[in-house]
């Protein structure tokens, strides 16, 4: 095993019974463990709501007991996350689109030898989505206002901007780009 001291003693005897011996020693050296194939899953379509998993293959030629540690880093901001396990859940409070998230796996053997390997993924922008359907005023009359309401959310923490286009059944598009259309007798 590593750090064991080996002694080799060579003895000689001649025909008259005279003897001599000589010894030499050496210490068995520790070989560092290896870590290969560090991967983060998923590796694509990572958004600010994704839970990432990090895995690696580790081995030690000396047969030592191995321990693994995980360090998650946002290389874009320089932030090290508090998670020290093989998984990390992203959120809009700790990640933004275009951030690069890195997992570094370090394997250490019982004799202090260690090796590290990293993988990284890039966070993409999430599409906003509606939290309620578009809703029109229930009673619509000439010379009144028609109100269209909608609500949207963006998991990236950005504020979605709603835009409005007003058309009628004959294909006419109206000039209003707000959520209110003023109807008068000239609109048909």
């Amino acid at each position: 095993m590593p750090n064991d001291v080996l002694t080799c003693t060579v003895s000689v005897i001649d025909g008259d019974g005279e003897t001599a011996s000589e010894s030499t020693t050496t210490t068995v050296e520790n070989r560092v463990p290896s870590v290969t194939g560090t991967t983060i899953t998923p590796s694509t379509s990572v958004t600010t709501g994704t839970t990432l998993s990090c895995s690696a293959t580790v081995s030690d030629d000396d047969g030592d007991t191995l321990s693994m540690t995980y360090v998650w880093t946002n290389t874009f901001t320089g932030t090290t996350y508090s998670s020290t396990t093989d998984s990390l859940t992203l959120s809009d409070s700790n990640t933004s689109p275009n951030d690069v998230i890195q997992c570094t796996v370090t394997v250490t053997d019982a004799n202090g030898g260690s090796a590290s390997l990293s993988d990284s993924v890039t966070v993409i922008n999430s599409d906003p989505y509606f939290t309620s359907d578009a809703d029109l005023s229930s009673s619509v009359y000439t010379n009144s206002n028609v109100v269209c309401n909608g609500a949207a959310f963006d998991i990236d923490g950005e504020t979605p901007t709603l835009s409005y286009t007003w058309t009628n059944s004959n294909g006419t598009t109206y000039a209003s780009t707000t959520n209110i259309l003023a109807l008068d007798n000239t609109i048909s």
Side-chain angles (χ1 to χ4, degrees), residues 33-38 54-59 65-71 84-86 103-109 114-115 117:
S34 68
V35 57
T36 59
T38 299
C54 186
S55 62
T57 301
V58 297
S59 62
T65 300
L66 301 175
S67 63
M68 292 172 58
T69 59
Y70 301 86
V71 175
T84 57
T85 67
D86 63 349
C103 174
T104 301
V105 176
T106 300
V107 59
T108 305
D109 68 20
S114 66
L117 189 63

Side-chain angles (χ1 to χ4, degrees), residues 76-129:
F76 186 77
T77 64
T79 303
T80 298
Y81 295 97
S82 60
S83 176
T84 57
T85 67
D86 63 349
S87 67
L88 173 70
T89 300
L90 304 178
S91 70
D92 66 334
S93 66
N94 65 16
T95 311
S96 299
N98 299 316
D99 285 356
V100 176
I101 309 304
Q102 178 176 285
C103 174
T104 301
V105 176
T106 300
V107 59
T108 305
D109 68 20
N111 292 292
S114 66
S116 298
L117 189 63
S118 300
D119 190 27
S120 61
V121 294
T122 301
V123 178
I124 63 171
N125 187 48
S126 300
D127 293 335
Y129 60 90

Side-chain angles (χ1 to χ4, degrees), residues 135-147 181 183:
D135 181 38
L136 285 173
S137 304
S138 57
S139 300
V140 178
Y141 304 100
T142 302
N143 295 323
S144 68
N145 289 333
V146 180
V147 179
L181 177 64
L183 292 177

